[in-house]
């Protein structure tokens, strides 16, 4: 099926600001509550949220095989389960409906009032019911920086890192959409110079600049997903802030890795941008040396040129951009991550979320965490209001943005923004 939704000459009869992340060529998918308290699946063009449930009820998807309530649900899981053929058909149809040369909906005022909302009049929700969440560790620069800080600078990468996409299973229960604040976690830490742990709030709360991909039903238990087929099972991408408590992490991570330091909160952007929409921005990833084992080998462009930015905004103050990075720096591709994830027969389902791991670039201003940006707190960052940060303070909002852009089109993700609050007081 052709990707007619990606036609760069297409314009919408809806007004789209010049530098919008959401031109008619994007057509992401999300879930929102309307001003009438109706939960619906939708898309976005410019500053308008479009109710796909209402469009379906009004027969605008006639000719596409969809269950009667496909878009009248509170998650995208069923739609994602239908596979790429359906995703592509729906995106193409939405592009046709809102094309400036199509007056069917444009000239029907009653339908427009039912279907179209200004983005400020809707409340975005978590777009999928996340059954399982896996976090990878796939940035060579990030892994090297952490290795230099905590292990041997001459042997920063552990022996397995260049041979497989390292990952761990996290908690889906504390993944929240943009705008939901998170609380500073409590836990055990081992103060410097001490031999016994203490209990209390984490003093070293950090963000991790990540992206995450959402899968469809990829396999049955016992089967693996070949690397060359893996992208067929990836619905799309979101921005992802995997909050971390570095002092808790340092005390607990040996021998089994991340636990309470990572599972207290992760924040994701509400609009899932499809791989189809990102097609114009494919690039090759870094050269992999040594050559991966056969089941991980792939050729061609399997990464994406996605500009990423992180800002910190103190309460009642101006934000300060502290990092500019890019998804293309990732050493292991999404296809390799999914192929490795299933090589042992692990089942992957619709709505599962796979975090990329912290995305750090080759220069200090492109590092993807405060741990790296301040080098463990040794080099504090000065914000625009004159205050310094080694890690994240209570009241600070962490804002992540991402977009692709070439001479013809800009496709973006909007932002994921979350404020850090003090620990929850005991009942």
């Amino acid at each position: 099926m052709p990707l007619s939704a990606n036609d760069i000459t297409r314009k919408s009869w809806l007004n789209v600001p010049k530098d919008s992340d959401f031109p008619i060529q994007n057509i992401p998918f999300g879930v929102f509550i309307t001003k009438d308290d109706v939960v619906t699946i939708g898309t976005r063009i410019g500053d308008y949220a479009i109710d796909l449930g209402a469009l379906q009820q009004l027969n605008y998807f006639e000719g596409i095989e969809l269950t009667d309530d496909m878009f009248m649900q509170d998650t995208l899981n069923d739609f994602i389960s239908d596979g790429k053929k359906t995703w592509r058909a729906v995106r193409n149809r939405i592009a046709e409906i809102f094309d400036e040369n199509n007056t069917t909906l444009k000239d029907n005022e009653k339908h427009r009032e039912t279907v179209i909302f200004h983005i400020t009049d809707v409340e975005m929700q978590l777009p999928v019911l996340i059954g399982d969440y896996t976090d990878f560790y796939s940035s060579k620069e990030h892994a090297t920086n952490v290795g230099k800080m905590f292990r041997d600078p001459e042997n920063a990468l552990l022996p397995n890192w260049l041979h497989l996409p390292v990952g761990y299973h996290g908690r889906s229960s504390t993944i929240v959409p943009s705008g939901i604040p998170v609380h500073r976690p409590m836990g055990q830490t081992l103060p410097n110079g001490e031999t016994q742990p203490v209990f209390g709030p984490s003093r070293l709360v950090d963000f991790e600049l990540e992206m995450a991909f959402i899968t469809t039903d990829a396999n049955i238990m016992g089967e693996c997903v070949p690397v060359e087929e893996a992208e067929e099972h990836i619905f799309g991408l979101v921005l992802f802030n995997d909050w971390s408590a570095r002092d808790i992490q340092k005390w607990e991570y040996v021998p089994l890795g991340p636990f309470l330091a990572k599972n207290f909160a992760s924040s994701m952007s509400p609009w899932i941008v499809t791989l189809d929409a990102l097609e114009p921005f494919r690039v090759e990833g870094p050269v992999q040396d040594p050559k991966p084992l056969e089941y991980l080998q792939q050729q061609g462009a399997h990464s994406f040129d996605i500009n990423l930015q992180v800002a910190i905004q103190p309460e009642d103050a101006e934000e300060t951009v502290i990092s500019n990075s890019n998804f293309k720096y990732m050493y292991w591709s999404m296809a390799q991550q999914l192929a490795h994830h299933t090589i042992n027969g692990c089942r992957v389902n619709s709505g599962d979320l796979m975090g990329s791991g912290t995305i750090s670039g080759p220069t200090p201003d492109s590092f993807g965490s405060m741990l790296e940006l301040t080098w463990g707190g040794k080099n504090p960052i000065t914000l625009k209001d004159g205050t310094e940060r080694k890690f994240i303070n209570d009241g600070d909002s962490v804002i992540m943005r991402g977009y692709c852009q070439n001479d013809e089109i800009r496709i973006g993700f909007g932002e994921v923004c979350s404020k850090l609050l003090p620990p929850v007081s005991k009942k």
Side-chain angles (χ1 to χ4, degrees):
M1 182 181 296
L3 264 175
S4 60
N6 287 15
D7 180 359
I8 58 170
T9 65
R10 190 191 299 273
K11 296 190 185 319
S12 175
W13 49 264
L14 288 172
N15 179 53
V16 179
K18 181 181 178 182
D19 293 325
S20 173
D21 281 350
F22 304 100
I24 194 171
Q25 291 80 7
N26 189 338
I27 311 181
F29 293 91
V31 174
F32 58 81
I33 302 177
T34 70
K35 56 187 177 183
D36 298 318
D37 290 328
V38 175
V39 180
T40 186
I41 289 171
T43 188
R44 178 173 177 175
I45 297 176
D47 292 331
Y48 296 97
I50 295 156
D51 184 342
L52 298 184
L55 274 180
Q56 183 177 8
Q57 287 180 303
L58 295 168
N59 294 321
Y60 281 89
F61 293 117
E62 188 176 3
I64 301 175
E65 290 188 16
L66 300 170
T67 56
D68 291 343
D69 65 342
M70 177 64 79
F71 296 123
M72 289 166 271
Q73 303 185 37
D74 58 4
T75 76
L76 281 158
N77 293 57
D78 282 356
F79 176 60
I80 294 172
S81 289
D82 263 18
K84 180 169 279 191
K85 182 180 178 181
T86 299
W87 313 336
R88 190 168 288 184
V90 168
R91 276 189 75 245
N92 287 348
R93 179 65 58 84
I94 294 169
E96 292 170 13
I97 293 167
F98 290 92
D99 187 292
E100 64 178 353
N101 297 313
N102 187 340
T103 60
T104 306
L105 177 61
K106 179 183 178 182
D107 291 347
N108 192 320
E109 184 177 354
K110 185 177 180 181
H111 284 189
R112 287 203 322 270
E113 289 178 354
T114 304
V115 168
I116 302 168
F117 302 86
H118 195 274
I119 196 67
T120 56
D121 292 330
V122 303
E123 181 182 334
M124 298 306 300
Q125 305 294 294
L126 204 66
V128 289
L129 177 63
I130 302 167
D132 286 302
Y133 156 47
T134 300
D135 194 33
F136 286 95
Y137 188 55
S138 291
S139 164
K140 186 177 181 181
E141 289 81 3
H142 173 68
T144 300
N145 289 338
V146 172
K148 286 179 178 178
M149 271 186 267
F150 294 118
R151 290 190 297 273
D152 177 7
E154 299 301 317
N155 297 284
L157 292 178
L158 289 170
N160 65 351
W161 201 92
L162 293 171
H163 295 276
L164 56 85
V166 175
Y168 72 96
H169 296 295
R171 289 283 296 180
S172 60
S173 60
T174 41
I175 298 177
V176 295
S178 180
I180 302 298
V182 303
H183 289 272
R184 182 177 295 272
M186 305 288 287
Q188 289 190 26
T189 61
L190 185 68
N192 290 334
E194 299 296 323
T195 59
Q196 296 298 314
V198 298
F199 177 80
S202 168
R203 297 180 180 275
L204 307 180
V205 174
D206 199 356
F207 65 83
E208 289 190 341
L209 171 62
E210 300 194 22
M211 299 200 73
F213 66 87
I214 288 90
T215 65
T216 185
D217 303 286
N219 60 338
I220 61 174
M221 186 173 172
E223 288 185 350
C224 62
V225 176
V227 67
E228 62 271 15
E229 298 176 13
E231 288 182 4
E232 296 298 310
H233 304 287
I234 297 174
F235 177 61
L237 281 160
V238 294
L239 302 170
F240 195 65
N241 178 3
D242 189 28
W243 292 90
S244 300
R246 299 300 185 187
D247 43 358
I248 295 174
Q249 182 180 1
K250 185 177 180 181
W251 171 234
E252 74 175 1
Y253 85 103
V254 177
L256 292 181
F259 186 37
L260 301 186
K262 296 276 192 175
N263 69 8
F264 65 97
S266 300
S267 305
M268 64 182 279
S269 54
W271 294 107
I272 304 174
V273 178
T274 63
L275 287 199
D276 274 353
L278 297 172
E279 276 296 326
F281 304 96
R282 280 189 179 272
V283 293
E284 292 190 15
V287 174
Q288 295 183 326
D289 184 23
K291 192 175 184 179
L293 294 177
E294 186 175 357
Y295 77 94
L296 290 171
Q297 291 174 15
Q298 57 181 172
Q299 296 179 335
H302 295 284
S303 188
F304 296 90
D305 183 7
I306 305 172
N307 300 294
L308 299 168
Q309 183 185 84
V310 185
I312 294 176
Q313 184 174 20
E315 210 157 22
D316 302 320
E318 186 179 357
E319 71 173 56
T320 303
V321 174
I322 60 170
S323 176
N324 287 284
S325 194
N326 196 296
F327 185 66
K328 68 183 179 183
Y329 298 136
M330 299 303 292
Y331 187 85
W332 295 102
S333 72
M334 292 182 288
Q336 289 174 318
Q337 289 171 340
L338 187 55
H340 182 67
H341 200 308
T342 61
I343 195 62
N344 65 344
C346 175
R347 182 175 175 178
V348 169
N349 298 314
S350 173
D352 284 356
L353 184 141
M354 313 284 177
S356 63
T358 305
I359 302 167
S360 291
T363 57
D365 61 349
S366 64
F367 293 164
S369 66
M370 293 296 282
L371 179 70
E372 298 164 272
L373 289 164
T374 69
W375 210 253
K378 294 178 182 177
N379 306 311
I381 294 171
T382 301
L383 304 183
K384 287 183 179 179
D385 66 355
T387 61
E388 289 187 339
R389 294 293 185 278
K390 296 180 180 180
F391 289 91
I392 306 301
N393 287 359
D394 292 346
D396 288 347
S397 292
V398 176
I399 307 165
M400 296 178 178
R401 302 183 178 97
Y403 67 93
C404 312
Q405 189 159 10
N406 56 28
D407 293 337
E408 299 169 323
I409 196 72
R410 174 187 173 112
I411 300 291
F413 295 78
E415 67 179 34
V416 55
C417 175
S418 299
K419 177 183 282 191
L420 181 65
L421 302 180
V424 175
S425 56
K426 291 184 179 180
K427 293 182 180 179

